[in-house]
Amino acid sequence: MPSKHTYPLEPWCIRETAFDTGSHFLDETLFALGNGYIGLRGTHEEGYTGPAGTSLDGTYLNGFYESEAIHYPEAAYGLAKTNQFMLNVPNAKGIALWLEDERFDPLQGTLNSYERMLDFRTGVLRRVLEWTSPQGRRVAIASRRLVSMTDKHLFAIEYEVTPLNFSGKVVLVSSVDGAVKNLEAGDDPRVGSAISGQSLALVDAEQAPHFSVLTQRTVNSGFHLVSAVQTEMRGVFELAQRRQDQRLEQVYTVAAMQGEAIRLKKYGSYHSSRDYPEAELLPRARATLVAAADKGFRALAQEQEHYLADFWQHADVEISGDDALQQGMRFNQFHLLQSAGRDGKTNISAKGVTGEGYEGHYFWDTEIYIFPFFLYSKPEIAKKLLEYRYAGLPLARERARQMSHAKGALYPWRTIAGVECSAYYPAGTAQYHINADIAYSIKLYMEATRDEDYLLQYGAEIVLETARIWMGIGAYDRAGRYCINEVTGPDEYTALVNNNYYTNAMARMHLNFAASIAERLAQEQPEAFARIAALVQLDADEVPQWRRAAAQMLLPYDEALQIHAQDDSFLDKKVWDFAGTPKEHYPLLLNYHPLVIYRHQVCKQADVVLALLLLSDEFKPEDKRRDFDYYEKVTTHDSSLSSCIFSIIAAEVGYQDKAYDYFMETARLDLDDTHGNTHYGVHTAAMAGTWMGVAYGFAGMRVVDGAVRFAPTLPKQWRHYQFKLHLQGCLLQVRVEAGRTEYTLLQGDALAFSHRGQPVALSAAANVKELA
């Protein structure tokens, strides 16, 4: 696949002006549409007949999955038993075009002109082209496609064809095709799933004029899915229905006249029993399609534009001076919005809804990388992401018992519906830091929103239950230090170690946060605290135990090197031979046995360096610089989660050129396909890392116990940048130019923060402050 892909550098869209089989697979990802539930890869309505291995025509539903038993050649107690994987569901966007006996295919005949554009402001994928068939018939084709941001079950297509040099029979075939299957991952778990064949069994199929519907069920997870389409055409035509197994077609035959446009509108919906009782699925599908057809495509497009106008008003990051970066920034933010579940039952998978990589699983990526973007840009979505974790709390309790913890809850490393799906426990279940990551996001949410109702209804229960696990996994050593052994930190090239710095430091934060919640609620809201304490059966001695363990937590530090050691043994290992490793041997995980990697001093991604960001106030500036210098030399950045964190810390310690280089690796990772695998789906964590790079990196934003501070710098490549933040009921705009920073309170009564250590107070009456 191509390692570089460049579109014209436009700030609000991506646009392609040629149809190229060499980039087609990648284009399908980049031009994908979604709404947090439905995801349609950017394959054309007419399908694709190009070379094998250059397409994956996928349609995905966030949270809709099949399950299967995990088979271990050598089993052991407590290993994950069941895998869940996101399914490729029926393709309902198909529209085939025939001119007499010739089917439109851009790889046959001649494409006289071609343009496709995805507009981030409208959320509409638009394509216009002119084609001459092998027999000389010339047509103009225009299509528009959207996946509704206001109705999670709906997508819509407007399709127009105009004969340019002939009159005659034109046939449009609108289809819904249930004969689909998932992409097999082979030896690369980042690609797809391990299942082969079809996962959806046909229950029923129904056709009526303009209407087709498939009802299917998953074999093991027991879900029902209704995939329905409604088509609409004006004028004179003949209509017929055809069925080929699980493929249903509405066939429109028109006696076309030269120069007269033929228009077809298609509305599609997906409803599953994960959301509604089985008996309601078909009636809801019909109602959705009727309502959409009554509105029409134009009204749906207007709704979409209004929704996105509001989103960009709060979320846009404006950068002047680097057109490539500005495009990458907005592309990333748009795809994040398309990827985020917002119903409290779904989350964000590593590839969003653009591909099947990592089987559609949710990871810690959400809490540590993606959550901040939504918290400060669209906090209502951030709250729903936290509600998803509360929905998974009962299963997290079950997992804790499976892992021999008498109390508490242990969240899964990778999952869809809440069960642990990681079959490789050294880099899965052993990553206990997932509990602290979730607690960290709740802490961040409370500091930004002061949403006490959330804390009482959901958050406190999660934080208290998950904090208990640290007392179950840790112990005091002979010197009285609290140790956490046999865990894996963020760096997956170092597994099953004692006292991983990141894990221990985050556990300390978690224990103190849980204790603070319990102590404050006991004093300020005793009735609410009594209810929560009874719910989790909190013993009186637990909170003091948390405080003691946090105070005595072992945090490895090497006095000789004056750096924070990644774990007890990391610095004693042989450094990986980077100079002797061929470029084609990266990423290492695809070319070396895990044990070979584990025996060496090599990092896949930011580990200690991530702690420098999340727990910023716990480190001195000189420690941060030394830690950065050391770990940069031994980090491969084989994970797409890595570069953004190194960029942020590089900016903080004064390495501005490095900060910018790392930032650019993140900002256009997918647009430029720098990891060579974007054709399998976008990298949502890296996309969010771009936002973090601006706010946390160049603007120097940190939040410490609710206090917000900034230390802005301006990259020499930029003229200015500005972004907005939802903070404590206010909306703050930060604009950084050469020699000055301007803070503007756009909404809210009053907001206090600091700028380079200087207190700043804004109010409705004095809402602008300019500082050097």
Side-chain angles (χ1 to χ4, degrees), residues 319-327 660 664 668 717-719:
I319 297 170
S320 175
D322 192 324
D323 294 340
L325 177 56
Q326 181 67 86
Q327 182 184 49
Y660 199 78
M664 287 303 292
R668 290 186 61 92
Q717 296 87 343
W718 301 354
R719 290 187 291 272

Side-chain angles (χ1 to χ4, degrees), residues 582-603:
K583 290 183 179 180
E584 59 270 20
H585 283 195
Y586 292 94
L588 301 183
L589 78 158
L590 297 183
N591 295 281
Y592 300 91
H593 190 282
L595 286 175
V596 175
I597 300 174
Y598 296 163
R599 293 184 185 116
H600 288 83
Q601 200 176 138
V602 57
C603 296

Side-chain angles (χ1 to χ4, degrees), residues 307 311 315 332-342 348 366 369-383 385 445 688 691 726:
Y307 180 93
F311 170 73
N332 292 343
Q333 291 179 280
F334 179 73
H335 264 285
L336 285 169
L337 181 65
Q338 293 195 130
S339 299
R342 58 201 74 168
I348 307 173
T366 298
Y369 291 83
I370 301 170
F371 182 81
F373 165 70
F374 284 109
L375 174 61
Y376 298 116
S377 300
K378 203 163 179 61
E380 63 270 27
I381 292 181
K383 186 173 183 178
L385 296 174
Y445 176 80
W691 182 91
H726 284 270

